[in-house]
Amino acid sequence: MKLDSKIPQGPLEQKWAQYKKTAKLVNPANRKKLDVIVVGTGLAGSSIAASLGEMGYNVKSFCFQDSPRRAHSVAAQGGVNAAKNYKNDGDSVYRMFVDTLKGGDFRAREANVYRMAECSLNLIDQAVAQGVPFGREYGGYLNNRSFGGVQVSRTFYARGQTGQQLLLGAYQALMRQVGKNTVQLFSRHEMLDLVLIDGKARGVIVRNLDTGEIERHSAHAVVLATGGYGKIYYLSTLAMGCNGSAIWRAHKKGALMASPSWIQVHPTSLPQSGDYQSKLTLMSESLRNDGRIWVPLKNNETRSPNDIPENERDYYLERRYPAFGNLAPRDISSRAAKERIDAGFGIGPLKNAVYLDFSKAIKEQGKEKIKEKYGNLFDMYLKITGYDAYKEPMMISPSAHFSMGGLWVDYELMTTIPGLFALGEANFADHGANRLGANSLLQASVDGYFIAPYTIANYLSNEIHTGKISTDNLAFENAENAVKQQIEHLINIKGNKTVDYYHKTLGKLLYDYCGLARNEAGLKYAIEEIKKLKAEFYQNVRVSGDENHMNTELEKAGRVADYFEIGELMCYDAITRNESCGAHFREEYQTPDGEALRNDSEFQFISAWAWKGENQEPELIKEPLVFEEIQPTVRSYK
Amino acid sequence: MDLHLKIWRQKDRSTEGKLVNYDLKDLNSHMSFLEMLDTLNEKLIIEGEEPVEFDHDCREGICGQCGIMINGLAHGPLENTTTCQLHLRSFKDGETIVIEPFRAEAFPVKRDLKVDRSAFDRIISSGGFVSVNTGQAPDATAIAVTHQIAEEAFDSAACIGCGACVATCKNASAALFTSAKISHMALLPQGKEERSERVIKMVQQMDKELFGHCSNTEACEVECPQGISVLNIARMNYEYSRALFFRKK
Ligand SMILES: Cc1cc2nc3c(=O)[nH]c(=O)nc-3n(C[C@H](O)[C@H](O)[C@H](O)COP(=O)(O)OP(=O)(O)OC[C@H]3O[C@@H](n4cnc5c(N)ncnc54)[C@H](O)[C@@H]3O)c2cc1C
Ligand code: SF4
Ligand code: FES
């Protein structure tokens, strides 16, 4: 199979305009004849469903939460990027494009990245028009802050709840269409399979999570906007329900998965405190603007942090990366923390954390100033941990956070299955091997508001004469039966270990062998262990209750079943890439002083994987990356 | 620490529910309340019983999904805190805790501690938005919004739609939730154009959904995890009167 990324011809700055000029349209009268299914109501899903509804298509929108407003986009804190240059500090679409491409370690497509930066201008306008209360200057103009190692202020924010406010804007646009009956809403519904007719995506099988009923829904195109799969590590910053099942079921039906092993680990989350723990809370990265990160110089230090004198502390980021210090990018900061923790210098009850210290900032700026900047975060820290960070340093540790990998899509955001689109975190596009802070709210939103409305219409223009798609088709029956069989199977195992036990065990394996650092032997070991664990799961898992009513354990079991397979693919992906880039640090490929060693001559490509069947090795298909505009350089933060 | 739990168990909407006793031992006081329920569920599953169904997702105090009544208080004893941000250190060793679903006619129980809050979505879809299509927006700085107004609008927009205000109100009124959205939109220039139509539609929908009337007990503000102010209700009443007064028939 040869991958066609469908990047338009012409100069970089004109590619998207060129595409839009030539994309085919659907006559308004014909739109009523066309059905589209959108799975997911996060920023990507709500915005595309609302946009298509406005245009006059029949849209069905699905999510597993009780309300679309609770999709995980709601949790994003820091902000959203846009190259508006409101600060007159020299920002531009081109500069944002360069920052993003470089940030992703030159493992993303130029054309996609440029388009995201270009569309960022419109997103802020759209959100403000919807009533998103972004931070403002006293004169009434929008305010910006700088975020995550860029030299300009291009991040727009709504206090620490930017994701919530953007999502409410998109959700309200969606609910407006629900009120107008252009969008039908199915909350508390989980997509369990994709239905293909003649090779095209034609519908989905979903389970009504309140009643247990299995339903068939058909459409002329299917959009997956189902978010990331970072929860595969169990402990992560993601919501409990986040999962990879929708994209995985599509993968098993033929859609390629790209770069599955690229998962960003965030440096500033709260550390794990015990086995019972279900998730790790993210502390905003903005804390690193004033907090200094350190560990004790002495191995197995037992003194409390305030008793450790200055000369017995190791400010390892300032030591190793003098130019960026505590503001070094996420991948580098996370890895440096792991390196110290693994070497035995970790702190806290489980020796799994590092200190984030505000004492110097408090001394220099005063407690009031720090309170004004980060007060809510300090309150949150107190609430969760019971410790007062004004008095002693915070404890933080790295935690899985964002999946750069996802379904492979072309420039039109269409997967390798015709009629199946993937948007937002569910696709692999735009972030390369490492995502820059505040770029993913952006990507999810522009995919849904500004890109997919054109590309889906272009696809649908060929579907006008298809007519209604019947759910009586054999393909629907087969898919429904397969789903029912899997459910019965899981319920009938009646073993003696819980679903969470398997999820936690898998997560730990992945943290240890396919996490912040990987090596070939470890990855091979992990693949074998995952296979064993999966086999044991099918022998020994216990799902209580039955399938005919609400059953959260059953929902979780299906997702963990998929996680085994995704985890295995992550390891395969990591093994084949004999280089270190972005979130992917292969221990065999590093410089003498421990920095990532990229290999452009051999690995300047996107890894796309094809499913070959149960217990078969997946097939790797390469999409070469061509850089016309800027030549890859080595990322250095020294 | 040890805890005695009395948890509401109800199979479905049409079956009667009751409080059931459970004992948990050796809990870590750093556990969150929901992690305590996870621990209970792990135990129940292994013992062959069905786990307790409860709603939750982000476990970060922001999705609004995790509301339950704890000893008669929505989201438990701490002020301005969601259930997921409540930790066992807020309870005493050996304490008995009564755990029930949010109760209101407009929030029917689905199973155990889960209730149906979709009435809130219908209130929003009746008018809780600015009518702007995608791709229609003027430049974001074209209309200035003062810092103060933006912050005030944010204070109202911060509602997470959890429903604690309804659950704690003796009339099961949705006034705090609805008024927060009305204020958010009415304060901003972008939302001002539609303010009259919006408030009338949303208030009518609120009544249709069987929420009770607000009688100013202000209990909602006390238990709201986002500290949404009852002043929003005053603004909603003002907007409503204003809309009726100027309404053209
Ligand atoms: C704690 C945290 C903080 C963050 N902060 C920032 C930030 O400051 N800036 C930034 O740019 N990014 C941030 N991010 C990342 C960003 O929030 C996400 O990448 C982005 O919101 C993803 O949006 P989405 O629309 O793709 O998916 P989501 O918002 O995750 O939505 C997924 C949707 O899919 C639905 N779904 C999934 N599977 C199924 C299924 N099988 N059936 C039916 N429905 C399904 C869900 O119900 C949900 O509606 C943060 C992430 C986290 C976890
Ligand atoms: S007003 Fe407060 S209590 Fe009511 S739904 Fe909103 S956040 Fe919850
Ligand atoms: S689980 Fe999201 S607010 Fe508590």
Side-chain angles (χ1 to χ4, degrees):
Chain A
M1 182 186 228
K2 200 163 152 22
L3 289 171
D4 180 5
S5 57
K6 295 201 221 141
I7 294 169
Q9 295 297 313
L12 191 59
E13 307 81 44
Q14 284 161 32
K15 285 186 195 293
W16 181 229
Q18 189 59 31
Y19 178 89
K20 287 194 283 188
K21 227 165 33 189
T22 51
K24 281 180 272 176
L25 302 175
V26 180
N27 179 329
N30 284 331
R31 294 181 199 158
K32 285 197 267 313
K33 297 182 202 152
L34 294 165
D35 305 324
V36 184
I37 284 172
V38 179
V39 188
T41 60
L43 274 167
S46 288
S47 54
I48 185 63
S51 303
L52 293 172
E54 286 162 13
M55 290 156 82
Y57 297 99
N58 303 315
V59 182
K60 286 183 173 180
S61 155
F62 297 86
C63 72
F64 61 71
Q65 287 94 352
D66 72 337
S67 162
R69 66 179 290 152
R70 305 200 210 281
H72 193 51
S73 294
V74 79
Q77 303 168 343
V80 58
N81 285 338
K84 282 281 199 184
N85 194 29
Y86 284 158
K87 288 272 182 190
N88 200 25
D89 55 3
D91 201 9
S92 65
V93 168
Y94 191 81
R95 199 177 289 275
M96 184 169 168
F97 153 72
V98 175
D99 285 345
T100 304
L101 202 66
K102 180 180 166 205
D105 233 342
F106 300 93
R107 291 293 175 263
R109 288 187 201 128
E110 278 187 340
N112 281 64
V113 175
Y114 192 89
R115 178 175 64 182
M116 181 176 84
E118 190 181 342
C119 293
S120 72
L121 307 177
N122 299 344
L123 174 65
I124 300 304
D125 300 343
Q126 182 72 27
V128 166
Q130 288 170 342
V132 172
F134 282 125
R136 297 267 175 171
E137 311 256 19
Y138 283 91
Y141 294 103
L142 285 152
N143 207 349
N144 298 114
R145 55 185 170 205
S146 102
F147 208 72
V150 261
Q151 286 160 314
V152 291
S153 288
R154 67 162 71 102
T155 307
F156 293 77
Y157 61 94
R159 291 194 195 148
Q161 278 128 285
T162 315
Q164 178 199 29
Q165 292 307 314
L166 281 173
L167 182 65
L168 287 181
Y171 155 77
Q172 285 160 199
L174 174 69
M175 294 316 287
R176 175 171 162 243
Q177 296 307 311
V178 171
K180 290 181 167 181
N181 288 326
T182 59
V183 178
Q184 250 182 297
L185 182 65
F186 297 83
S187 47
R188 299 281 302 147
H189 278 67
E190 179 165 16
M191 169 190 157
L192 292 180
D193 209 356
L194 177 74
V195 180
L196 262 51
I197 300 178
D198 298 331
K200 289 180 175 176
R202 289 302 193 196
V204 291
I205 304 292
V206 298
R207 179 165 180 268
N208 177 331
L209 301 181
D210 286 340
T211 63
E213 262 163 284
I214 304 292
E215 302 169 7
R216 305 174 183 186
H217 296 271
S218 69
H220 297 90
V222 177
V223 182
L224 299 185
T226 51
Y229 53 89
K231 190 74 194 164
I232 192 169
Y233 289 91
Y234 193 74
L235 288 173
S236 82
T237 62
L238 277 82
M240 300 303 288
C242 291
N243 67 87
S245 284
I247 58 172
W248 191 251
R249 309 272 166 116
H251 173 66
K252 288 172 91 168
K253 285 277 164 94
L256 300 191
M257 272 287 279
S259 316
S261 72
W262 291 349
I263 297 195
Q264 180 168 76
V265 175
H266 201 290
T268 59
S269 98
L270 300 184
Q272 182 183 9
S273 59
D275 291 339
Y276 55 79
Q277 197 140 345
S278 53
K279 76 162 289 186
L280 299 175
T281 301
L282 182 69
M283 294 302 281
S284 169
E285 203 167 18
S286 63
L287 289 170
R288 294 202 281 150
N289 285 320
D290 283 302
R292 297 178 73 198
I293 293 175
W294 62 275
V295 291
L297 263 181
K298 212 175 87 199
N299 221 313
N300 274 321
E301 177 64 75
T302 49
R303 286 174 292 178
S304 91
N306 292 338
D307 296 336
I308 302 175
E310 201 56 28
N311 61 358
E312 291 179 47
R313 300 175 175 192
D314 177 12
Y315 294 92
Y316 58 88
L317 284 177
E318 298 170 29
R319 166 168 61 79
R320 284 179 66 177
Y321 307 98
F324 277 70
N326 296 299
L327 291 175
R330 290 180 181 177
D331 53 335
I332 288 177
S333 313
S334 298
R335 210 153 51 230
K338 178 176 157 57
E339 192 273 330
R340 285 293 81 189
I341 292 169
D342 287 350
F345 299 95
I347 53 96
L350 300 182
K351 302 274 174 223
N352 60 351
V354 299
Y355 289 124
L356 178 61
D357 196 337
F358 290 87
S359 57
K360 182 156 179 267
I362 290 174
K363 203 179 281 166
E364 282 171 7
Q365 302 171 33
K367 188 176 166 186
E368 279 317 301
K369 188 85 200 162
I370 296 299
K371 202 175 204 159
E372 191 190 314
K373 284 200 236 179
Y374 311 110
N376 58 334
L377 293 164
F378 279 57
D379 293 346
M380 178 169 116
Y381 184 77
L382 178 67
K383 209 181 260 180
I384 297 174
T385 64
Y387 294 110
D388 180 354
Y390 293 109
K391 295 200 179 124
E392 58 181 275
M394 285 185 182
M395 291 183 276
I396 53 161
S397 81
S399 164
H401 179 59
F402 179 89
S403 39
M404 275 80 70
L407 289 181
W408 183 91
V409 289
D410 60 22
Y411 190 74
E412 296 192 294
L413 306 183
M414 189 152 83
T415 67
T416 44
I417 296 177
L420 180 70
F421 294 80
L423 272 51
E425 201 176 333
N427 72 26
F428 87 103
D430 301 8
H431 305 296
N434 180 44
R435 190 247 326 177
L436 286 188
N439 260 355
S440 67
L441 291 178
L442 171 65
Q443 184 229 340
S445 304
V446 300
D447 279 6
Y449 284 123
F450 305 120
I451 300 168
Y454 287 92
T455 63
I456 294 175
N458 186 53
Y459 176 81
L460 289 175
S461 64
N462 290 324
E463 292 289 334
I464 293 162
H465 304 293
T466 305
K468 265 266 171 278
I469 291 155
S470 165
T471 53
D472 293 336
N473 189 293
L474 193 63
F476 277 94
E477 196 174 319
N478 290 340
E480 182 179 321
N481 287 340
V483 161
K484 284 183 169 161
Q485 252 172 24
Q486 196 214 14
I487 289 175
E488 270 169 39
H489 185 145
L490 288 171
I491 286 199
N492 288 329
I493 296 170
K494 299 203 192 308
N496 55 24
K497 290 205 174 106
T498 61
V499 177
D500 281 356
Y501 162 83
Y502 288 101
H503 193 171
K504 286 178 186 175
T505 313
L506 173 69
K508 175 138 190 359
L509 250 174
L510 290 173
Y511 261 119
D512 288 348
Y513 298 102
C514 193
L516 270 168
R518 302 104 190 254
N519 62 54
E520 189 178 335
L523 289 163
K524 286 188 170 150
Y525 172 76
I527 291 175
E528 290 314 309
E529 288 302 303
I530 293 171
K531 283 190 174 135
K532 276 191 233 160
L533 195 65
K534 179 178 164 189
E536 200 209 304
F537 170 85
Y538 282 107
Q539 293 285 314
N540 223 352
V541 75
R542 181 177 198 103
V543 180
S544 46
D546 61 48
E547 65 270 43
N548 302 319
H549 61 71
M550 184 185 289
N551 189 339
T552 306
E553 285 301 304
L554 177 61
E555 293 164 30
K556 290 197 290 190
R559 295 170 192 165
V560 172
D562 293 334
Y563 273 150
F564 288 123
E565 296 174 351
I566 299 175
E568 215 179 305
L569 185 66
M570 284 165 58
C571 295
Y572 278 114
D573 185 48
I575 286 181
T576 51
R577 195 164 276 275
N578 292 332
E579 65 163 353
S580 294
C581 63
H584 171 68
F585 188 79
R586 275 283 297 274
E587 287 164 347
E588 302 94 320
Y589 306 97
Q590 51 178 308
T591 62
D593 49 354
E595 300 304 326
L597 197 59
R598 216 176 58 212
N599 181 348
D600 287 341
S601 60
E602 285 180 75
F603 293 96
Q604 196 163 294
F605 59 79
I606 297 294
S607 301
W609 294 91
W611 171 257
K612 288 279 152 192
E614 218 65 50
N615 300 321
Q616 300 293 312
E617 278 199 23
E619 182 195 346
L620 173 62
I621 297 159
K622 298 174 185 175
E623 180 202 332
L625 286 169
V626 184
F627 295 101
E628 291 172 347
E629 193 66 31
I630 45 177
Q631 281 318 303
T633 50
V634 175
R635 272 170 90 211
S636 170
Y637 295 90
K638 294 246 168 193
Chain B
M1 61 195 286
D2 298 349
L3 290 176
H4 308 290
L5 308 174
K6 286 181 179 299
I7 303 182
W8 185 261
R9 301 300 308 256
Q10 181 172 348
K11 196 160 171 263
D12 52 38
R13 196 174 290 189
S14 51
T15 316
E16 245 180 88
K18 61 171 195 287
L19 286 168
V20 178
N21 291 309
Y22 299 98
D23 285 329
L24 284 178
K25 291 198 184 319
D26 296 329
L27 297 163
N28 185 322
S29 67
H30 284 303
M31 243 182 214
S32 74
F33 199 83
L34 299 185
E35 284 164 349
M36 182 269 288
L37 289 178
D38 290 343
T39 309
L40 170 69
N41 279 347
E42 291 278 291
K43 191 168 154 252
L44 292 180
I45 295 164
I46 295 301
E47 287 167 359
E49 280 183 60
E50 287 199 46
V52 180
E53 292 284 354
F54 60 97
D55 244 333
H56 65 98
D57 197 21
C58 72
R59 299 204 171 184
E60 254 180 54
I62 187 78
C63 75
Q65 197 145 282
C66 61
I68 42 181
M69 298 303 276
I70 301 168
N71 289 337
L73 297 168
H75 293 301
L78 294 185
E79 267 176 40
N80 305 139
T81 304
T82 54
T83 308
C84 57
Q85 297 300 82
L86 175 68
H87 292 75
L88 295 193
R89 69 181 85 88
S90 296
F91 299 88
K92 285 194 291 289
D93 190 19
E95 196 174 331
T96 299
I97 307 177
V98 181
I99 306 172
E100 293 166 280
F102 278 0
R103 295 192 191 279
E105 201 175 348
F107 286 174
V109 173
K110 294 206 272 195
R111 188 177 169 91
D112 297 340
L113 303 172
K114 281 192 180 179
V115 299
D116 181 352
R117 284 169 290 190
S118 53
F120 273 8
D121 288 325
R122 290 188 292 273
I123 292 178
I124 297 295
S125 85
S126 72
F129 44 74
V130 178
S131 296
V132 54
N133 281 355
T134 304
Q136 301 299 303
D139 188 278
T141 51
I143 308 170
V145 181
T146 66
H147 175 77
Q148 223 170 333
I149 293 290
E151 293 299 305
E152 228 182 300
F154 187 98
D155 286 340
S156 304
C159 162
I160 59 175
C162 64
C165 46
V166 174
T168 197
C169 173
K170 65 178 165 93
N171 310 319
S173 159
L176 195 63
F177 167 81
T178 311
S179 67
K181 187 50 58 187
I182 283 167
S183 297
H184 162 205
M185 296 288 179
L187 278 164
L188 293 170
Q190 289 80 8
K192 272 215 161 77
E193 291 300 327
E194 288 173 279
R195 61 202 275 209
S196 302
E197 236 180 286
R198 178 182 307 120
V199 69
I200 289 174
K201 284 188 180 156
M202 289 180 78
V203 168
Q204 280 173 354
Q205 188 65 32
M206 193 166 73
D207 292 343
K208 237 191 261 171
E209 297 287 349
L210 306 177
F211 289 106
H213 284 284
C214 169
S215 56
N216 294 314
T217 63
E218 303 191 2
C220 50
E221 182 180 305
V222 177
E223 295 201 13
C224 169
Q226 291 295 85
I228 304 284
S229 159
V230 287
L231 288 176
N232 286 290
I233 302 180
R235 185 179 279 109
M236 175 170 78
N237 292 337
Y238 161 76
E239 289 287 334
Y240 190 68
S241 311
R242 183 188 165 280
L244 287 183
F245 188 73
F246 290 111
R247 195 180 204 178
K248 292 198 190 91
K249 278 271 147 83

